[in-house]
Amino acid sequence: MSAEPILSGSDLTEEITELREEVLAYKPGNVSTCADKIDFPEQLHIGLFGRTGCGKTSLINSLKFAAHGKLRRSQWQQAAGQEKAGGHTMFRKLADITKKIFVIDNRGLDEPNTEKAITELALQLDGNRGYSESVEWQGASDGNDTDDTEDEDLDLSGLDLNMGHPIGCAIFVFSARHDLDSNTNGLAEVIDFLHSHQGRYPVAIITHVDVAERNHVEDLKTVLRVSGVSDIFEVANLTTEKKLLEEPYQHSLLSLLERCMTDGDETLIFKHYQRKEQQRKKEIERRREEKRRKQEEERIAEECRQMAEKERIERENQMRRELEDQRLAIKREREGAEKQAREIQERERDRRYQEAIARVEAEKQVEIRRIMEANKKKKGICEIM
C-alpha cells in the first residue's frame, strides 16, 4: 500500500474522521463475515517487531494520536522489577490504542531469521510468552527504542503478566534513518514463516520518513517488496520535540490500523479453520490409528487363534501318537503273551513227547526183558530135554 495520500484538503479530513470512527468503534469480529461462526476475543493485539531504535515506542504514541486526534501517550503495562540489560528492557510491553486495540512493544530484533528468533516469534504470535518473561531473540541488542515519550497512568492491574496474548496482526517496523542491510537481512524467511503461521503476510511501516532522504525511503520500500512485503506504510513519529502529526501521516496510521483490524479478524478466522483442519487431521489420524489398532488386535487374535489351533492339532497328534504307542504296546504285550503261551505249549508238547517216548522205551525194555526171560525159560527147557 502506498503511503502517499491520494486525498487532500477536506476530503482527507473527512476520510480521517471516518477512519477514526471506524477504529474507535472496532471490536474483534465486527469487520468479519464469519463473526457468528467464530468466538472472537475481547481485544485485538498488534505485535511490533523491529531492530533497536527503529521507533516502535514512538510509533505507538503516534498510533494513539491518530486514533484519538490528539496527543494521548500510550500507557504501558510491564512487570515490576524486570531486570535490565545495559539500561534497556529485556521484556515486552503492552500499550492501549483504544479500548479494543492493544499494541505489544518488543525488545529490539536485529537478526530476525535465526532459528531462536523464529522460535521466539512463534511463542509470541500464539500468546505463549508472558510479559514478565525475558524475550530471547538470538543476536538481538539488549534494547528497545530510545525515543520514548513519557507515559501516563493506566489501570491494567488485572493483567496476568505471566501470560501473553495471541497476536492478530504482525507489523515490522523499519526506520528510514537506518542502514538497509541491517533493516532487512533475513526478512524474507521470517515473512514466509509468518504467512504459514498466521495465514497473513505481515505489514511494514517505515518511520522517520520526515527526517530521511526520499530516495532512501524508496530504496527501503523496494527492498521490502522484494522480501515479500506488499503493504508498506510511511509515517513520521511523535517525539518529545514533535507533538503534532500532519494529516497525511494520520491517514497513513489510521489506514494501518484499519488493515490491522482486518488482518486481526482474518488471522482469527485462519486460526479457527486451521484448528478445525488440525482437528480433522487428528480425527483422521485417530481413526487410522484405531483401524491400525483394530487390525493389530485382529492380527494378534488371528495369530492366537492359529497358535491355539496349532496347539490343538499338536495335542490331538500327540494323543494319537500316545494312543498308537499304547496300542502298539498292548499289541506287543499280547504278542509276547501269545508267544510265551506258544512256547509253554511247545515245551509241554515236548515234555509229553519225551514222556511218551520214555514210556515206550520203558515198555520196550520191559517187553525185551520179558522176551529174554521167556527165551531163557525156553532154552532151559530144551536143555533139560
Side-chain angles (χ1 to χ4, degrees):
M1 176 179 178
S2 176
E4 296 179 0
I6 58 175
L7 301 173
S8 62
S10 60
D11 290 337
L12 180 58
T13 302
E14 182 178 353
E15 179 73 11
I16 289 173
T17 301
E18 291 177 0
L19 284 171
R20 183 172 291 135
E21 290 175 354
E22 182 181 347
V23 168
L24 293 174
Y26 168 78
K27 66 177 182 178
N30 68 355
V31 296
S32 169
T33 58
C34 301
D36 58 334
K37 300 178 182 178
I38 299 173
D39 293 329
F40 287 89
E42 289 297 319
Q43 294 99 18
L44 166 66
H45 291 86
I46 301 170
L48 297 185
F49 305 93
R51 61 170 293 180
T52 304
C54 66
K56 295 190 301 295
T57 303
S58 294
L59 170 62
I60 295 173
N61 288 322
S62 301
L63 286 169
K64 192 156 189 177
F65 182 98
H68 297 275
K70 57 183 178 179
L71 186 59
R72 297 180 65 181
R73 295 183 178 87
S74 298
Q75 314 309 311
W76 303 106
Q77 179 67 25
Q78 57 184 339
Q82 288 178 338
E83 295 294 332
K84 301 279 185 174
H88 300 286
T89 180
M90 301 281 289
F91 303 83
R92 300 189 301 158
K93 297 190 293 184
L94 180 67
D96 68 323
I97 302 299
T98 71
K99 292 182 179 179
K100 298 296 182 180
I101 301 176
F102 287 75
V103 176
I104 301 173
D105 192 8
N106 250 296
R107 176 188 178 193
L109 171 59
D110 293 340
E111 297 182 23
N113 64 330
T114 63
E115 181 179 351
K116 191 171 185 179
I118 290 178
T119 300
E120 173 70 32
L121 184 60
L123 287 171
Q124 294 191 25
L125 292 173
D126 294 336
N128 295 325
R129 172 68 74 204
Y131 296 101
S132 62
E133 299 179 71
S134 175
V135 175
E136 301 178 1
W137 303 124
Q138 179 176 323
S141 300
D142 297 326
N144 239 334
D145 296 341
T146 57
D147 54 348
D148 299 47
T149 55
E150 296 183 359
D151 304 333
E152 298 173 359
D153 293 330
L154 176 70
D155 183 13
L156 293 176
S157 57
L159 180 68
D160 185 352
L161 295 173
N162 295 317
M163 302 294 291
H165 291 96
I167 293 174
C169 180
I171 299 177
F172 278 91
V173 184
F174 301 91
S175 173
R177 299 183 305 188
H178 286 167
D179 181 70
L180 288 178
D181 292 337
S182 63
N183 265 290
T184 59
N185 184 34
L187 183 62
E189 293 87 344
V190 179
I191 289 172
D192 290 340
F193 165 76
L194 275 163
H195 181 256
S196 64
H197 195 82
Q198 300 281 90
R200 307 288 293 174
Y201 284 105
V203 297
I205 188 162
I206 303 176
T207 63
H208 306 122
V209 296
D210 56 332
V211 293
E213 295 182 5
R214 189 63 210 172
N215 63 334
H216 196 87
V217 175
E218 292 300 326
D219 289 344
L220 179 55
K221 289 170 65 177
T222 299
V223 172
L224 291 176
R225 289 194 181 100
V226 171
S227 299
V229 179
S230 58
D231 291 330
I232 304 171
F233 298 84
E234 302 176 27
V235 299
N237 280 6
L238 288 177
T239 64
T240 52
E241 294 80 19
K242 184 180 178 63
K243 301 182 182 298
L244 180 66
L245 280 180
E246 294 83 354
E247 283 194 337
Y249 295 131
Q250 292 185 48
H251 183 270
S252 182
L253 289 164
L254 289 168
S255 298
L256 171 65
L257 288 173
E258 183 185 41
R259 167 62 191 270
C260 289
M261 287 152 48
T262 301
D263 275 9
D265 285 3
E266 292 297 329
T267 296
L268 289 169
I269 293 170
F270 171 79
K271 290 293 186 180
H272 170 77
Y273 286 107
Q274 186 182 60
R275 286 192 297 270
K276 290 188 67 174
E277 179 64 14
Q278 290 172 349
Q279 291 171 356
R280 186 186 70 84
K281 290 180 179 179
K282 285 182 180 179
E283 179 62 19
I284 291 174
E285 183 59 30
R286 186 193 66 78
R287 291 177 181 176
R288 287 177 180 171
E289 184 61 29
E290 181 66 19
K291 184 178 180 180
R292 286 193 292 266
R293 185 187 62 78
K294 187 176 181 180
Q295 289 175 341
E296 181 66 12
E297 289 177 351
E298 290 175 350
R299 183 188 65 79
I300 294 173
E302 179 62 19
E303 289 181 354
C304 292
R305 187 193 67 77
Q306 292 178 359
M307 186 177 296
E309 180 67 13
K310 184 178 180 181
E311 291 176 352
R312 184 188 67 79
I313 293 173
E314 183 63 28
R315 286 196 300 271
E316 290 180 353
N317 291 337
Q318 182 66 24
M319 291 176 62
R320 281 195 290 269
R321 288 193 293 270
E322 291 176 355
L323 289 173
E324 182 64 19
D325 291 343
Q326 291 177 3
R327 186 185 68 77
L328 291 174
I330 292 171
K331 181 180 179 181
R332 287 194 295 268
E333 184 178 350
R334 184 173 66 249
E335 289 176 348
E338 291 175 351
K339 181 179 179 181
Q340 186 177 9
R342 286 195 300 272
E343 290 174 349
I344 293 172
Q345 289 177 355
E346 288 293 330
R347 287 196 296 271
E348 183 64 20
R349 281 196 298 269
D350 289 343
R351 186 186 65 76
R352 289 197 298 268
Y353 178 73
Q354 293 298 328
E355 287 179 351
I357 291 176
R359 283 196 304 271
V360 171
E361 290 294 330
E363 290 175 354
K364 285 182 179 180
Q365 292 295 329
V366 171
E367 182 65 22
I368 290 172
R369 284 194 295 271
R370 186 184 65 76
I371 293 172
M372 289 179 65
E373 288 294 332
N375 288 335
K376 285 180 180 181
K377 287 179 180 180
K378 286 180 180 181
K379 185 177 179 181
I381 293 173
C382 291
E383 289 179 351
I384 293 173
M385 294 181 60

